[in-house]
Amino acid sequence: MIKIGKAVKFTVLSIVFVMVMVCFFSRTTYVVREKFGTEMHDLFTKFEKDSLDTIFVGTSHQFCSISTDLLDFEYGINSFMLASSGQTVPMTYYAIMEAIKLQHPKTIVFEALYCANDFRVIDAGMSHMFFDGMPYTKAKRLAINDLIEPKERIYYYFDLGFYHDRWIEVTEADFKPREYSERGTYFSDHVMYNWEIPVVDKSEKEPMPDEMKKYLDMIIELCKENDVELIMYVAPYNALYDDDYARQNLFYMQRVFNWIEEYVEPQGIPFHNLFYEMDEIGLDGNTDWMDSQHCNYAGQEKITRYMVEKGYIK
Amino acid sequence: MLYGYVLKMIIADRAAIYVNTVFDAETYNTYVGFTALIGAVLFAVQIYCDFAGYTFIAIGAARVMGIQLMNNFNAPYFATSIKDFWDRWHISLTSWFRDYLYIPLGGSRKGKFRKCLNILIVFMVSGLWHGASWHYVIWGMLHGILRVLEEITGKLCARLGELLHVRRDVFSYRLFKMLLTFLIVTLCWIFFRAESIRQALDIIKNIFVQPNIWVLFDGSLFTLGLIAKDFNVLILFIGIMMAVDYLRSRNRQLTATFCKQNVLFQWLVFIAGIWCVLVFGIYGPGYDATQFIYFQF
């Protein structure tokens, strides 16, 4: 009897100890974690289940081009920005899997920049930005196992191991949530001159990388299976530098976008290549860019309004 | 076991960042005076915390499985002589050398000269045991010579102390001997850490060539891999290590004493320890996993 009592006491104490540890270390992880990007999932999970109509996925070009707040305030479109910097096509596939599981939106808007980049992941910083705020769902587990090298996986399940040396730069702000838009809208008021964006002829095409095509097909299939409308578009951007090498890279990407349009539209998926609609959008190189590739709030507003007014986003 | 991780991941691997810079084969000659001396002192700290950390982890892991292993260190940097140091450092190896080499050679039973020769042989073999390189042999020989000098001059020093009316039963005398022993051991460690005798001699020369005490104040120490906050953490944990060593040297049953405390106190210590290792430990994708130094021996 005494032995049973001791065993019960030991078990209860062990469980309480583990719970205290988990709470303590979750809080520590939150404090040292890099906040930019990782809080997106925290905001996303705060929405009531199946309450969002539209979810935006893709890269920084997505969140710099679309304002979900504007969509809500002025057009009554109930949406969320689930895009993140360096979100590759495989990552987008898992982001959509999570989005469908938690929200089952009517529409997913996929900004297709990285369809032309043959990367499963860009670098550890961007991968962590995508994964670390993500709740421990099946999508997260599948994504980590698929995209992350085995020896690195531990730091995605246990990201304190990745961020712990940020204790050096922790400030008061790290103890509080950032004042984000609750719909994940990114806001930049930085202004940088952007030179004229060169565009290839629409007839020029180049196939997308095989690996990315495989994931694009998986995205299309996933949306079909779950009866979610998939809309694809590519936001305009300039070459990274005003030189020939960067320009050739931009042209390659544009040829791939033209190929993707031809590939997905017969499958009933609209693809809006905004490189060919820049004049109608009215983007101004003097006022609408935060750098050569990303719009600031002014460009973001123009693209968002244009997308709604043209009926690309409903 | 947790204390072992604190020693290894917070102190040893943090000190290693500075030490690796100062002992770098390409650039070591650019570090002089206090910059080099601090490198040597931190290596003394690193090798102790690395090896003792590994030992504590092994002792703790064995105890989880019900196996009691012997203690391998007993506050070695509190030693007041070289003999005392070797009674406290790597006790398992020292006792092995004593039982299987020193005593079969005759130990202290065949006169003073043979005793000194046996000590020199044991320390030379100890140096060779660490690696087939001359700098290890020199490190072993230096300890052997210092041990022999202690043996020969022991009575002379005691007589001199009496003549000069030096009180030997006071704290200040013990502290002086402790610091002197630490300094000598640290200088010997330079031969152990250096990649060659030439490098070791250069580093020792560099320590004394320029007394650049200003590096302690002008922030230049913080440009050698460890920033100021890292140094603060290092110093804090070296302080904790010294406090634990002091308590362990006063009370051999420190673990048993700890286990008698209230559960809440034990939890607090465990959580604080794990937290410190996970936050201040040197690990993660930004670092190379630093192997335990003694794994190579």
Side-chain angles (χ1 to χ4, degrees), chain A residues 13 24 28 162 164-165 167-168, chain B residues 229 275 278-279 281 283 287:
Chain A
L13 279 176
F24 198 65
T28 302
F162 182 76
H164 71 98
D165 49 2
W167 67 267
I168 283 171
Chain B
K229 286 181 182 177
W275 188 85
L278 291 179
V279 174
Y283 70 101
Y287 301 99

Side-chain angles (χ1 to χ4, degrees), chain A residues 12-14 16-18 20-21 24-25 28 32 124 128 152 155 158 160-162 164-165 167-170, chain B residues 14 227 229-230 233 263 266-268 270-272 274-287:
Chain A
V12 170
L13 279 176
S14 302
V16 174
F17 182 76
V18 169
V20 171
M21 290 277 291
F24 198 65
F25 287 106
T28 302
V32 295
H128 276 278
E152 299 291 325
Y155 300 115
F158 166 71
L160 178 59
F162 182 76
H164 71 98
D165 49 2
W167 67 267
I168 283 171
E169 53 195 75
V170 163
Chain B
R14 184 169 267 101
I227 64 167
K229 286 181 182 177
D230 266 318
V233 167
V263 172
Q266 291 184 29
W267 279 23
L268 282 174
F270 281 135
I271 291 175
I274 296 170
W275 188 85
C276 286
V277 168
L278 291 179
V279 174
F280 297 128
I282 301 292
Y283 70 101
Y287 301 99

Side-chain angles (χ1 to χ4, degrees), chain A residues 68-84:
Chain A
T68 42
D69 283 341
L70 185 68
L71 289 174
D72 178 41
F73 296 148
E74 295 209 11
Y75 300 100
I77 296 172
N78 184 15
S79 65
F80 189 84
M81 181 58 65
L82 203 54
S84 60

Side-chain angles (χ1 to χ4, degrees), chain B residues 206-228:
Chain B
N206 291 343
I207 286 174
F208 296 105
V209 79
Q210 190 185 36
N212 56 349
I213 197 157
W214 55 86
V215 297
L216 300 176
F217 310 102
D218 68 1
S220 56
L221 289 179
F222 307 140
T223 61
L224 302 175
L226 291 180
I227 64 167

Side-chain angles (χ1 to χ4, degrees), chain B residues 11-248:
Chain B
I11 304 178
D13 289 354
R14 184 169 267 101
I17 296 170
Y18 185 96
V19 171
N20 291 345
T21 308
V22 171
F23 280 82
D24 184 87
E26 304 285 318
T27 56
Y28 69 87
N29 263 325
T30 58
Y31 306 112
V32 296
F34 277 87
T35 312
L37 179 64
I38 290 169
V41 169
L42 285 183
F43 179 66
V45 171
Q46 183 201 349
I47 193 162
Y48 171 52
C49 291
D50 192 282
F51 192 17
Y54 150 56
T55 307
F56 281 121
I57 293 168
I59 289 172
R63 193 168 294 175
V64 169
M65 292 181 277
I67 303 164
Q68 193 84 19
L69 293 180
M70 71 177 288
N71 200 0
N72 210 18
F73 292 91
N74 180 25
Y77 292 144
F78 287 160
T80 52
S81 66
I82 297 296
K83 180 182 182 307
D84 190 20
F85 174 78
W86 281 103
D87 285 342
R88 294 159 175 263
W89 179 274
H90 204 345
I91 297 166
S92 57
L93 184 72
T94 309
S95 45
W96 190 91
F97 273 125
R98 184 194 61 219
D99 296 343
Y100 294 99
L101 190 60
Y102 179 67
I103 291 172
L105 282 172
S108 57
R109 291 164 312 201
K110 295 190 177 176
K112 193 96 176 171
F113 176 75
R114 275 298 297 272
K115 183 185 177 183
C116 292
L117 185 65
N118 292 343
I119 289 171
L120 281 174
I121 291 170
V122 168
F123 275 101
M124 195 185 74
V125 174
S126 166
L128 272 172
W129 179 84
H130 285 87
S133 289
W134 283 109
H135 61 107
Y136 288 124
V137 178
I138 296 290
W139 168 77
M141 286 299 288
L142 278 173
H143 273 277
I145 291 166
L146 288 164
R147 230 348 242 106
V148 168
L149 280 175
E150 269 182 7
E151 204 58 42
I152 296 168
T153 61
K155 281 182 184 164
L156 187 68
C157 287
R159 182 87 189 103
L160 199 63
E162 278 170 23
L163 281 173
L164 295 171
H165 301 291
V166 176
R167 288 189 61 182
R168 302 169 73 186
D169 57 345
V170 291
F171 169 74
S172 57
Y173 181 75
R174 283 199 304 277
L175 181 68
F176 170 75
K177 285 189 79 178
M178 211 183 285
L179 290 174
L180 187 64
T181 307
F182 178 72
L183 183 67
I184 291 168
V185 168
T186 298
L187 290 176
C188 290
W189 279 132
I190 293 174
F191 285 90
F192 191 92
R193 174 60 178 82
E195 286 168 30
S196 63
I197 297 170
R198 175 80 258 163
Q199 188 189 358
L201 290 172
D202 283 346
I203 288 172
I204 292 171
K205 187 190 82 188
N206 291 343
I207 286 174
F208 296 105
V209 79
Q210 190 185 36
N212 56 349
I213 197 157
W214 55 86
V215 297
L216 300 176
F217 310 102
D218 68 1
S220 56
L221 289 179
F222 307 140
T223 61
L224 302 175
L226 291 180
I227 64 167
K229 286 181 182 177
D230 266 318
F231 257 106
N232 293 342
V233 167
L234 185 58
I235 290 164
L236 172 71
F237 279 89
I238 289 173
I240 291 172
M241 174 201 78
M242 287 172 70
V244 172
D245 269 1
Y246 177 75
L247 290 173
R248 280 169 53 81

